[in-house]
Amino acid sequence: MTTTRPAYVTIADVAQRAGVSQMTVSRVINSSAAVRPEKRARVERAIEELGYVPNRLARGLSARRLGVIAVLVPDLTNPFFTEIVHKIEDVASEQGLTVVLGNSDERPEREADFLRTVAALRVDGAIIGATGDGAVASVRRLQSAGIPVVALDRRVGKLPIDIVLGAAAEPAQLLTQHLIQHGHKRIGMIGGPASASTSRERADGYRQALREAGLEEDPSLYRESRFSRSDGSQIGRELLEHRAPPTALVTANSFLAFGVIDAAESLGLSVPGDLAIASFDDFEIGPRQPILTCADQPAGDIAELAARRLLARLRGDDSVPRTVIVGTDIRIRTSCGCRAAEPSEYVTSTSLDS
Amino acid sequence: MTTTRPAYVTIADVAQRAGVSQMTVSRVINSSAAVRPEKRARVERAIEELGYVPNRLARGLSARRLGVIAVLVPDLTNPFFTEIVHKIEDVASEQGLTVVLGNSDERPEREADFLRTVAALRVDGAIIGATGDGAVASVRRLQSAGIPVVALDRRVGKLPIDIVLGAAAEPAQLLTQHLIQHGHKRIGMIGGPASASTSRERADGYRQALREAGLEEDPSLYRESRFSRSDGSQIGRELLEHRAPPTALVTANSFLAFGVIDAAESLGLSVPGDLAIASFDDFEIGPRQPILTCADQPAGDIAELAARRLLARLRGDDSVPRTVIVGTDIRIRTSCGCRAAEPSEYVTSTSLDS
DNA sequence: CTGAAAGCGCTTACAG
DNA sequence: CTGAAAGCGCTTACAG
C-alpha cells in the first residue's frame, strides 16, 4: 500500500554478516550467555553497520515476555490520575518496561475493550484503576492467563488481588468532623459513583462522623455523582436550593468542589460564609494559594507502590495478594471556615495483608 | 518461575474444536473473507467455549500491522500535554488502536530510548512531541523503517515530516503588543528551552513586537528556561531584582507565570500592579476565576489533528508532508493590568503545505 | 562457548 | 468458500 516497504534488518542478516549463527547474535543482544569476545565484537559491528533493531514482537512471541505493562485509569483528565500515570511511566521506563495506556472514561465498556486488548497483546502485567466492580470478569481473565494485575485506587469486587489505594473512610470522617467542629449541624456530601469502592468507603466515613456526633442523617443531603465539575455544579445548586439547605458539604473529589463553588457563586452565596466545603484531592493548579481544605492522597506514592508490587509479581513473587492503604494528608485551608492556614496535618499509613 | 503457566488457547485449538482449518478461524476472527454461515457459527461457538483471545503479537508479526501507535510527550505533568494524550487516546481507541505512551521529561536520552523501543515494537505509527532537534536521528530511523511519524507541538530539526503545532510567533507578538498598549516600556520575556522550536518562535514574536513599537531590546530581559514553576520563580526573582527591572513579562508557559507570581509575592510585589504578566497556556485548575492573560493553544484540536494525520498515513496517504498551524485564542484577563474580563479574542487558523 | 532444529501463534500467498 | 504449506523473526531446549 505504502511505497516504502518496512524492509527491516533481521537477526539472520546480522548473523550472516558477522559469520556466526543466529543463536550467537541472540546471545549477544540479550547477554543471555557468554560469547567469545571476538565473535561478540563482530556481531556488534554487524549490528551497528546494518542498523539492526531487534523485533520485540518476535521476541515476545517466543520468549513469552514482551516487556510491556498496561496501565488503565478511569479519567485521564483528572490530575490525580495524571500524576499516577506519570509516576508509573517513570518507574517502568527505569526498568526497561514500556507502558501501554488506557483511559476508560469511567465507562465499563471501554474498560472491557482495553483489558481485552491488553490480554491479546500478552502484556507482562497490568495496573488498573477500575471503573468499579464491573471489571471483575476482565481482570479474572487476565489473571487466569497468568498476567499479574494490581488494582489501584479502587477495589475490583471481592477479587483476591494486590491493591494499593488511599485511605478513604478515615479521611472522610476527619473532614466531616472538622466541619462539625466549625459548628455545622446540616452537613451534606456529594459522593462519587457508588460503583467505585472508594466512593462507598468515603460515604461510610462521612456517616460515621455524623453518627458519632449525634447529628441526624438526612438522606436527602447525600448525593451520588460522577467525578465532574458539572455534576458538582448541578448537584451543588440543587442542594443549595433545598428547602433546608446544608451549611457545609464534603465532596469526594476536587472537581466536585469546584463545581459546587461555581454554583454557590452563581447564586450569590459565598464560600465558606454561606457554605463551608471540605474535599478529597489536592490539585488546584494556579498562581494563587489554594483554598480547599482537603484530604490529599499521595498520588505519586500510590503509583509507585502499585508499580513496585507489579514488578515483584513479574519477578515471580507469588505470595498472598496484598492490600496496601496509603495514608492521606489533611490540608486545612480556608474553604472550611478556618482563617489562617494552620497546617494541622493528619497522616495515616497502613499496610495490611488480606 | 511462576506457578501458573500462561496456558493460552491458540487458533489451532479453536480450529480443532470447530472441525475446520486454522485459516477458517483466522478468517472469522478478522472478517477478512467470506466463510460459510454454519462454519462461522461453529467457529464462534468454539471461540466462546474456549475463551479464545487471539494473540496480537503473532498477528502483528506475520501481518506486519500491530494496531498500536506510540505517543511521546516531553512532560506528562503539564496539563497541555495531558490533554493531548487524553485526546489522542480517545481517537485511537475509537479506531481500535492501542496507545503506547512515553514521557521524555524533556531529556533527549529518554526520548531516544523510547523511540528505540517503539521501533523495536514495530508500532504502526508515532506521534511525538520532541524535546527538540535532538530527535532527528531517532525519527529518521523510524521513517526509514516505514513507520509514519507525526510531530506535535515542536518541529524536529528541518525534517520533512507531518507536523501539527499551535501558532507561536503571532500570539507572542500579540501578547507583547498588549502589554505595550498598557504603557509598558520595559518588557521582559522568560522563554522556553531554545532546543524547542516553539520557544524560538515565541521569542521571535516578542522581539518583533518590541521592534515594531520602537522599544529598545534589552538582552538581559530575555531569559531562557525550562518549562517549570521553579525556573519561573527563580528567574522571576532575578529579573525583579535587576537594577532596572521589567514592569511587564511575557512567559512562554503557565508554569513559568505561576513561578514568577510566587517570586513577586515573596518580594512583596503585586501582579499586575508592580509587574504585568501575559503568558502561554491556559491551565489554571481551581475554584476561582483564572487571572492569567494568555495565549490558549487548543490542545484537544492539536491532538486530534495530529491523530487524524497519522491515521491518514496509516491508510496509505503518501502525499507531501504537511505543516498545520492551529490558531490560538488570546484570553484577556487581569494579570496584564486589564480590569474586567473583556473577552477580546484573537483567533488565527492556518494550514500550510511545506 | 556454539549451532541446527523446532516452535511461538498467527497470516500470506497459492491452489483448488 | 476452504485448506496445506511456508514464513513472520525471534528463543527454547538439545547437542556438542
Side-chain angles (χ1 to χ4, degrees):
Chain A
M1 189 100 47
T2 30
T3 45
T4 21
R5 265 268 195 64
Y8 278 104
V9 176
T10 72
I11 199 172
D13 300 327
V14 175
Q16 186 180 12
R17 175 135 190 162
V20 300
S21 71
Q22 289 194 191
M23 265 321 296
T24 300
V25 177
S26 172
R27 288 193 259 255
V28 170
I29 301 169
N30 301 296
S31 319
S32 51
V35 171
R36 196 178 309 176
E38 311 99 70
K39 290 207 172 185
R40 171 185 301 282
R42 287 223 305 278
V43 170
E44 279 165 350
R45 251 194 71 210
I47 287 175
E48 184 64 30
E49 293 170 353
L50 262 25
Y52 171 62
V53 180
N55 183 328
R56 271 178 64 177
L57 295 188
R59 185 181 192 297
L61 184 61
S62 51
R64 297 156 177 293
R65 200 182 151 290
L66 225 206
V68 172
I69 63 171
V71 175
L72 172 71
V73 294
D75 181 7
L76 204 39
T77 262
N78 182 143
F80 172 69
F81 288 113
T82 300
E83 192 178 337
I84 281 174
V85 171
H86 180 238
K87 187 64 184 182
I88 293 176
E89 213 282 328
D90 270 4
V91 175
S93 100
E94 152 203 308
Q95 301 285 325
L97 291 169
T98 307
V99 169
V100 158
L101 176 70
N103 171 218
S104 67
D105 245 343
E106 300 278 11
R107 301 213 304 266
E109 327 81 57
R110 272 193 68 164
E111 174 173 81
D113 275 357
F114 179 72
L115 295 178
R116 196 173 306 119
T117 295
V118 144
L121 241 23
R122 306 304 196 248
V123 300
D124 298 340
I127 299 177
I128 77 170
T131 60
D133 300 342
V136 169
S138 302
V139 169
R140 195 172 268 150
R141 189 194 311 136
L142 288 173
Q143 292 185 132
S144 70
I147 298 179
V149 180
V150 173
L152 173 150
D153 185 56
R154 307 181 187 178
R155 303 179 192 279
V156 183
K158 304 267 179 213
L159 234 46
I161 188 178
D162 285 319
I163 172 163
V164 181
L165 29 58
E170 301 89 326
Q173 191 175 348
L174 286 165
L175 252 21
T176 309
Q177 283 169 352
H178 184 77
L179 293 172
I180 291 171
Q181 281 160 12
H182 270 285
H184 294 281
K185 308 276 182 214
R186 281 186 69 71
I187 303 175
M189 174 168 190
I190 305 184
S195 53
S197 61
T198 310
S199 303
R200 300 191 298 264
E201 291 170 19
R202 290 175 186 172
D204 289 345
Y206 154 78
R207 295 203 177 95
Q208 177 76 15
L210 294 185
R211 225 172 295 131
E212 288 182 2
L215 293 177
E216 65 156 339
E217 284 178 55
D218 180 344
S220 70
L221 255 36
Y222 180 87
R223 300 288 301 273
E224 190 185 326
S225 72
R226 286 166 307 158
F227 288 125
S228 72
R229 188 165 190 147
S230 62
D231 266 41
S233 165
Q234 188 188 315
I235 297 176
R237 183 171 199 110
E238 291 171 18
L239 287 173
L240 288 169
E241 288 176 334
H242 194 279
R243 48 182 172 64
T247 61
L249 224 45
V250 175
T251 54
N253 162 284
S254 278
F255 285 139
L256 290 169
F258 302 158
V260 168
I261 294 172
D262 292 343
E265 281 180 359
S266 80
L267 290 171
L269 301 174
S270 82
V271 171
D274 300 301
L275 182 72
I277 296 179
S279 182
F280 273 83
D281 299 327
D282 185 27
F283 54 64
E284 292 178 62
I285 301 179
R288 289 165 298 183
Q289 294 303 315
I291 63 172
L292 228 48
T293 287
C294 59
D296 174 23
Q297 306 185 82
D301 293 350
I302 291 175
E304 177 150 14
L305 284 165
R308 302 279 172 215
R309 198 84 275 283
L310 184 62
L311 289 172
R313 293 299 181 191
L314 296 183
R315 270 186 238 104
D317 174 354
D318 61 350
S319 57
V320 179
R322 206 123 87 192
T323 295
V324 179
I325 298 179
V326 182
T328 290
D329 290 347
I330 301 285
R331 309 211 177 280
I332 300 298
R333 292 203 276 247
T334 59
S335 70
C336 57
C338 282
R339 286 289 153 142
E342 315 131 22
S344 109
E345 298 203 343
Y346 155 74
V347 180
T348 163
S349 203
T350 334
S351 165
L352 332 158
D353 295 310
S354 79
Chain B
M1 188 96 53
T2 31
T3 44
T4 23
R5 265 268 194 64
Y8 277 104
V9 176
T10 74
I11 199 172
D13 300 326
V14 175
Q16 186 180 13
R17 174 137 191 161
V20 299
S21 73
Q22 287 195 193
M23 265 320 297
T24 299
V25 177
S26 173
R27 287 193 261 255
V28 169
I29 300 169
N30 300 297
S31 319
S32 53
V35 170
R36 196 176 311 176
E38 311 98 71
K39 289 207 173 184
R40 170 184 303 282
R42 288 221 307 276
V43 170
E44 280 165 348
R45 251 194 73 208
I47 288 175
E48 185 64 30
E49 293 170 354
L50 263 27
Y52 171 61
V53 180
N55 184 326
R56 273 177 63 176
L57 294 188
R59 184 179 194 296
L61 183 60
S62 51
R64 296 154 178 296
R65 199 182 153 290
L66 223 208
V68 171
I69 63 172
V71 175
L72 173 71
V73 295
D75 181 9
L76 204 39
T77 262
N78 182 144
F80 172 69
F81 288 113
T82 300
E83 193 178 337
I84 281 175
V85 171
H86 179 238
K87 187 65 185 180
I88 293 176
E89 212 281 328
D90 269 3
V91 175
S93 99
E94 152 203 309
Q95 301 283 325
L97 292 169
T98 307
V99 169
V100 158
L101 176 71
N103 171 218
S104 67
D105 246 343
E106 300 279 11
R107 302 215 302 266
E109 327 81 59
R110 271 193 68 163
E111 175 172 80
D113 274 356
F114 180 71
L115 295 178
R116 195 174 307 118
T117 295
V118 145
L121 241 22
R122 307 304 197 248
V123 299
D124 299 340
I127 298 178
I128 76 170
T131 60
D133 300 343
V136 170
S138 303
V139 169
R140 195 172 268 148
R141 190 195 309 137
L142 288 174
Q143 292 184 133
S144 71
I147 298 179
V149 180
V150 173
L152 174 150
D153 185 56
R154 309 182 185 176
R155 302 178 193 281
V156 183
K158 303 267 180 215
L159 234 45
I161 188 177
D162 285 318
I163 172 165
V164 180
L165 30 58
E170 302 89 325
Q173 192 175 346
L174 286 166
L175 251 21
T176 310
Q177 283 170 353
H178 184 78
L179 294 172
I180 292 172
Q181 281 161 12
H182 270 285
H184 294 282
K185 308 277 183 214
R186 282 187 68 73
I187 303 174
M189 176 166 188
I190 305 183
S195 52
S197 61
T198 308
S199 303
R200 302 191 297 265
E201 292 170 18
R202 290 175 186 173
D204 289 345
Y206 153 78
R207 296 203 177 93
Q208 178 74 14
L210 294 185
R211 226 172 294 129
E212 287 182 2
L215 294 176
E216 66 155 338
E217 285 178 55
D218 180 343
S220 70
L221 256 35
Y222 180 87
R223 301 287 301 275
E224 190 183 326
S225 73
R226 287 166 307 158
F227 288 125
S228 71
R229 188 165 190 147
S230 61
D231 267 41
S233 163
Q234 187 187 319
I235 298 176
R237 182 169 200 110
E238 289 171 21
L239 286 172
L240 288 169
E241 288 176 334
H242 194 281
R243 47 178 174 65
T247 62
L249 224 45
V250 175
T251 53
N253 164 282
S254 279
F255 285 139
L256 292 168
F258 302 157
V260 168
I261 294 173
D262 291 343
E265 281 180 358
S266 80
L267 291 171
L269 301 173
S270 83
V271 172
D274 300 302
L275 181 72
I277 296 180
S279 181
F280 272 83
D281 300 328
D282 185 27
F283 54 65
E284 293 178 61
I285 299 178
R288 287 164 299 183
Q289 294 302 317
I291 62 172
L292 227 50
T293 287
C294 61
D296 174 24
Q297 307 184 83
D301 293 350
I302 291 175
E304 177 150 13
L305 284 164
R308 302 279 171 214
R309 197 85 275 285
L310 183 62
L311 289 173
R313 293 299 182 193
L314 295 184
R315 271 185 237 104
D317 174 352
D318 62 349
S319 56
V320 179
R322 206 123 86 194
T323 296
V324 178
I325 299 180
V326 181
T328 290
D329 290 347
I330 302 285
R331 309 208 177 282
I332 300 298
R333 293 204 274 246
T334 59
S335 70
C336 57
C338 281
R339 286 289 153 145
E342 314 129 24
S344 110
E345 299 203 344
Y346 155 74
V347 180
T348 164
S349 200
T350 333
S351 163
L352 329 158
D353 296 311
S354 80

